[in-house]
Amino acid sequence: MSESNILNSKPKITDYDFIIKIIQFLESKFGISFFITTMDFDTLYKWWEKKIPFKIIEESISNVINRWNLKKRKIYSFSNFSYEVRKNYKGFLELNVSVGKREEKKEEYDKIEKFFNNYPQELKKLKKEFENVHEKFKNKENIDIDNIKEKLLSLFKENNELNLKTQIFLRSLAPELRKPEIEKRYRINYLLNKFKIPDFDI
């Protein structure tokens, strides 16, 4: 997909979630942020289109940063990770993918249990909603947590830390990427990450 198509189309929510999750991983794990161009956005979007698992991207980014740190080189674009992501994704496809999927599912189950065993006090007002989702999850019922996400946004609407982080994030984007939907997805994903809220859609 070309840059203009990406910017003028309306991708599904999951596209933005995927892209923002990678941006936030780079910032929270390594403290790295840079001006994100439409070319960077295009690189991340292509990874989403190929359905490259986040674990592969996470591992690839970590590998490149560790190598570049040794050489005292500075990361300046998501294109810096492209070769490593392609190489590791190719290796992933050549392995027994079903084994990897089983391990990934177990990790997500563990995250869900850990979340409820250490439930954040800041989310006390949403505890009943999360417990209902947990119950549905255990009973293998259909789950939709969009309603919880909206309440989460409302709960932290006036949160200074979130508002500051969001402003910094928006300033790091090329002007044509500063869309309300991207801002919203950033806010949601920041809160999901901060409170280690698991992905119930597994």
Side-chain angles (χ1 to χ4, degrees):
M1 182 178 278
S2 69
E3 284 179 23
S4 59
N5 284 341
I6 291 170
L7 297 172
N8 296 326
S9 65
K10 288 189 176 178
K12 292 181 287 185
I13 298 287
T14 49
D15 308 5
Y16 287 149
D17 285 337
F18 180 87
I19 288 166
I20 288 168
K21 189 176 180 181
I22 295 169
I23 293 169
Q24 288 179 332
F25 168 75
L26 188 63
E27 184 182 354
S28 62
K29 178 83 174 177
F30 298 101
I32 295 174
S33 58
F34 44 77
F35 187 75
I36 296 166
T37 64
T38 52
M39 193 177 293
D40 286 311
F41 199 84
D42 188 44
T43 297
L44 298 176
Y45 197 92
K46 282 175 181 172
W47 294 350
W48 179 83
E49 283 184 316
K50 290 177 180 175
K51 296 181 169 51
I52 299 177
F54 184 71
K55 288 207 78 155
I56 299 294
I57 294 168
E58 186 180 57
E59 178 189 321
S60 302
I61 286 174
S62 300
N63 290 347
V64 171
I65 289 172
N66 289 336
R67 284 203 303 269
W68 282 39
N69 281 345
L70 290 174
K71 297 174 183 175
K72 293 184 167 48
R73 293 177 67 189
K74 188 177 179 182
I75 299 292
Y76 56 86
S77 168
F78 280 102
S79 62
N80 298 149
F81 307 115
S82 293
Y83 173 76
E84 187 77 10
V85 169
R86 278 199 308 273
K87 183 186 75 174
N88 289 337
Y89 183 50
K90 186 182 176 187
F92 169 79
L93 292 176
E94 289 168 358
L95 293 173
N96 186 345
V97 179
S98 61
V99 173
K101 282 186 177 177
R102 282 200 300 273
E103 287 176 359
E104 206 169 297
K105 272 198 171 189
K106 184 183 182 306
E107 272 183 37
E108 287 303 326
Y109 281 120
D110 290 345
K111 281 181 190 173
I112 290 169
E113 293 309 315
K114 193 173 180 181
F115 173 70
F116 284 102
N117 290 337
N118 303 278
Y119 190 82
Q121 279 302 305
E122 296 94 328
L123 304 182
K124 190 166 59 177
K125 289 183 180 178
L126 298 177
K127 191 166 186 182
K128 188 177 179 183
E129 281 91 338
F130 275 114
E131 285 175 344
N132 288 340
V133 167
H134 194 206
E135 198 59 38
K136 285 183 178 180
F137 176 81
K138 287 191 287 190
N139 294 330
K140 294 186 165 61
E141 296 175 36
N142 286 335
I143 294 170
D144 180 4
I145 67 165
D146 285 346
N147 187 41
I148 292 182
K149 287 177 180 178
E150 291 298 329
K151 288 182 179 180
L152 195 61
L153 282 176
S154 180
L155 187 62
F156 289 89
K157 189 177 180 180
E158 305 299 328
N159 183 270
N160 290 333
E161 179 190 346
L162 177 58
N163 290 338
L164 180 62
K165 287 280 188 185
T166 304
Q167 285 171 20
I168 292 169
F169 167 70
L170 291 173
R171 283 201 298 267
S172 77
L173 293 177
E176 56 267 52
L177 296 174
R178 296 170 192 167
K179 296 184 173 185
E181 186 59 28
I182 289 184
E183 178 182 347
K184 181 180 179 181
R185 301 321 302 173
Y186 178 85
R187 287 177 173 272
I188 289 173
N189 279 280
Y190 180 83
L191 292 170
L192 294 177
N193 188 47
K194 178 180 173 66
F195 296 112
K196 297 180 171 56
I197 298 171
D199 180 6
F200 290 92
D201 186 25
I202 62 174

